[in-house]
Amino acid sequence: MEEGPYKYIRDGNGTVNRVIRIGTRKSQLARIQTDSVADTLKERYPDIHLEIVAMSTIGDKILDTALSKIGEKSLFTKELENALERNEVDLVVHSLKDLPTTLPPGFTIGAVLKRENPHDAVVLHPKNAGKSLDTLPENSPIGTSSLRRAAQLKKRFPHLTFKDIRGNLNTRLKKLDEASDFAAIILAAAGLKRMGWEERISQILEPQDCMYAVGQGALAVEVRARDLDILEMVSVLHDPDTVLRCIAERAFLKRLEGGCSVPVAVHTEVKDSHLYLTGSVYSLDGSDSLKETMQTSITADDKSSEEVDERLQRVGVTACKISGEAQDRAEQLGVDLANLLLSKGAKEILTVARQLNDAR
């Protein structure tokens, strides 16, 4: 039964319970990711009733244009957010890298789950089995729809050529296997792993070859900021290290004013109570680049009773169970690193990259 904006069901004992509706994209990977979040919530809250609502997004529908050319910041999120705004769903599961660093008013990321391997992976055409990007023949065509990947790999592997490839994971693997258009394609290792296709990974790209996208490998749960009960419910899903790493990465990207249409890459790690952030910007062909690393302590002062403001967002993330001081330091780290790169000419590199991409 429906009552106001929410949906309720009556169980066998006559008890009325609210149904929590989870929005997701229709792709197989999106469903797998959403099911994993739903399963974790069911483990934590055995009595809740969950319903999954799948829908198509702009990014799922426009498959013949490079993502960086569409000019829409929320390609994979807009329809899901519209459903959230209309109270048709109560929370939405996204790949964090698809979410812009500034969310529409009224929304927040209520949970960032433990990160899967954030690195990029090489998937070779079956005829190239046993090879690597280093050993592929001159001018071998490599498929990627990411300016970030192409810029770094052009610099690192100048003997290769790079071509756009679009579609979900299933589509891209099919395009690779069933034709000879590509010698290999580059995909996020996390997606391949979640799909159970790890055996297709020929090579994991290390940071010196290709740093990853902001938020890559992490899942995010977006909710209405005013729904404090839902925010409280999903907050148990937060992984503290992943939250701090992704806040730093998102703050870095936001300060640079980067997005899909410019090549920005990161690498983060938490070690000995310190958060390390490496960030870089590239020209489209990778010939011009800037890269720096900074660190900060994420050990909070001993304030066991520290009150974390539940409504305070940091680059779109609300993490009320994690030290506010540690979150502030992570956010400041991202801003400071971006400012360092900007002082060395990052804005000029990104402006030219954006103009060249627009002109393509």
Side-chain angles (χ1 to χ4, degrees):
M1 58 185 140
E2 304 279 345
E3 185 180 305
Y6 304 125
K7 182 176 178 182
Y8 296 87
I9 59 170
R10 195 182 298 277
D11 65 20
N13 304 321
T15 310
V16 174
N17 292 298
R18 181 173 164 192
V19 177
I20 306 297
R21 294 159 299 179
I22 307 178
T24 177
R25 290 166 61 193
K26 281 183 174 171
S27 78
Q28 187 184 353
L29 177 59
R31 286 303 303 262
I32 287 171
Q33 293 178 167
T34 302
D35 288 346
S36 74
V37 171
D39 290 346
T40 309
L41 283 173
K42 281 296 271 184
E43 279 168 28
R44 294 298 190 98
Y45 308 103
D47 296 333
I48 66 169
H49 295 271
L50 298 175
E51 186 178 288
I52 292 175
V53 181
M55 54 196 89
S56 293
T57 67
I58 301 169
D60 296 312
K61 293 169 187 165
I62 304 175
L63 295 176
D64 55 354
T65 310
L67 290 180
S68 58
K69 297 290 291 173
I70 300 171
E72 169 61 68
K73 278 234 183 331
S74 46
L75 284 173
F76 296 111
T77 60
K78 196 174 213 165
E79 285 79 0
L80 298 166
E81 286 175 339
N82 288 345
L84 200 54
E85 190 165 31
R86 292 191 299 260
N87 291 303
E88 291 166 7
V89 296
D90 303 298
L91 51 113
V92 174
V93 178
H94 302 282
S95 291
L96 181 57
K97 71 173 183 178
D98 291 337
L99 280 171
T101 51
T102 302
L103 298 183
F107 298 124
T108 188
I109 296 165
V112 179
L113 284 78
K114 188 172 176 59
R115 195 174 212 165
E116 184 54 84
N117 182 339
H119 296 284
D120 288 318
V122 179
V123 179
L124 291 167
H125 188 287
K127 70 173 189 230
N128 293 315
K131 292 194 171 79
S132 66
L133 290 186
D134 267 319
T135 58
L136 282 172
E138 192 81 20
N139 294 324
S140 292
I142 310 299
T144 173
S145 54
S146 157
L147 297 179
R148 170 190 60 80
R149 289 172 180 149
Q152 293 181 84
L153 295 173
K154 279 174 186 171
K155 183 177 185 178
R156 172 68 181 79
F157 304 98
H159 69 292
L160 303 174
T161 58
F162 295 85
K163 290 167 62 176
D164 273 331
I165 185 168
R166 284 289 320 282
N168 59 35
L169 273 186
N170 312 53
T171 308
R172 279 183 271 179
L173 281 172
K174 203 170 171 195
K175 284 180 182 176
L176 172 70
D177 292 343
E178 294 184 0
S180 297
D181 297 348
F182 301 101
I185 58 177
I186 313 295
L187 300 167
L192 289 162
K193 193 167 177 188
R194 289 186 184 121
M195 293 285 274
W197 294 340
E198 269 181 288
E199 78 284 349
R200 290 303 309 264
I201 296 176
S202 313
Q203 180 182 358
I204 295 280
L205 293 168
E206 294 301 322
Q208 60 269 25
D209 294 330
C210 188
M211 296 202 306
Y212 42 83
V214 166
Q216 185 159 311
L219 296 181
V221 179
E222 188 177 17
V223 302
R224 290 178 290 268
R226 67 173 187 272
D227 282 354
L228 298 184
D229 55 337
I230 297 280
L231 203 49
E232 175 69 24
M233 180 185 82
V234 301
S235 69
V236 301
L237 301 172
H238 272 307
D239 176 68
D241 282 2
T242 305
V243 169
L244 297 175
R245 289 171 65 188
C246 290
I247 283 176
E249 292 171 18
R250 286 171 64 80
F252 172 72
L253 183 65
K254 184 177 183 178
R255 179 71 188 92
L256 287 176
E257 298 174 5
C260 253
S261 58
V262 289
V264 173
V266 293
H267 174 66
T268 48
E269 64 181 324
V270 172
K271 207 164 63 181
D272 302 328
S273 302
H274 279 73
L275 171 61
Y276 295 81
L277 170 64
T278 302
S280 55
V281 300
Y282 300 86
S283 58
L284 288 193
D285 64 0
S287 61
D288 205 1
S289 65
L290 287 167
K291 179 164 137 184
E292 294 289 346
T293 302
M294 292 176 87
Q295 66 175 60
T296 188
S297 164
I298 48 170
T299 309
D301 292 340
D302 188 21
K303 296 185 200 164
S304 48
S305 61
E306 180 194 17
E307 284 293 313
V308 178
D309 184 347
E310 298 207 345
R311 291 172 182 258
L312 184 63
Q313 288 191 31
R314 293 170 181 85
V315 278
V317 179
T318 302
C320 39
K321 303 278 197 298
I322 297 168
S323 157
E325 188 185 348
Q327 291 184 65
D328 286 340
R329 287 184 182 172
E331 184 174 26
Q332 194 58 50
L333 177 66
V335 173
D336 289 347
L337 185 64
N339 284 335
L340 177 60
L341 290 188
L342 287 168
S343 74
K344 295 188 168 197
K347 192 171 180 62
E348 291 69 24
I349 293 174
L350 293 178
T351 300
V352 172
R354 197 175 274 116
Q355 288 167 347
L356 286 174
N357 183 52
D358 290 346
R360 284 201 307 180

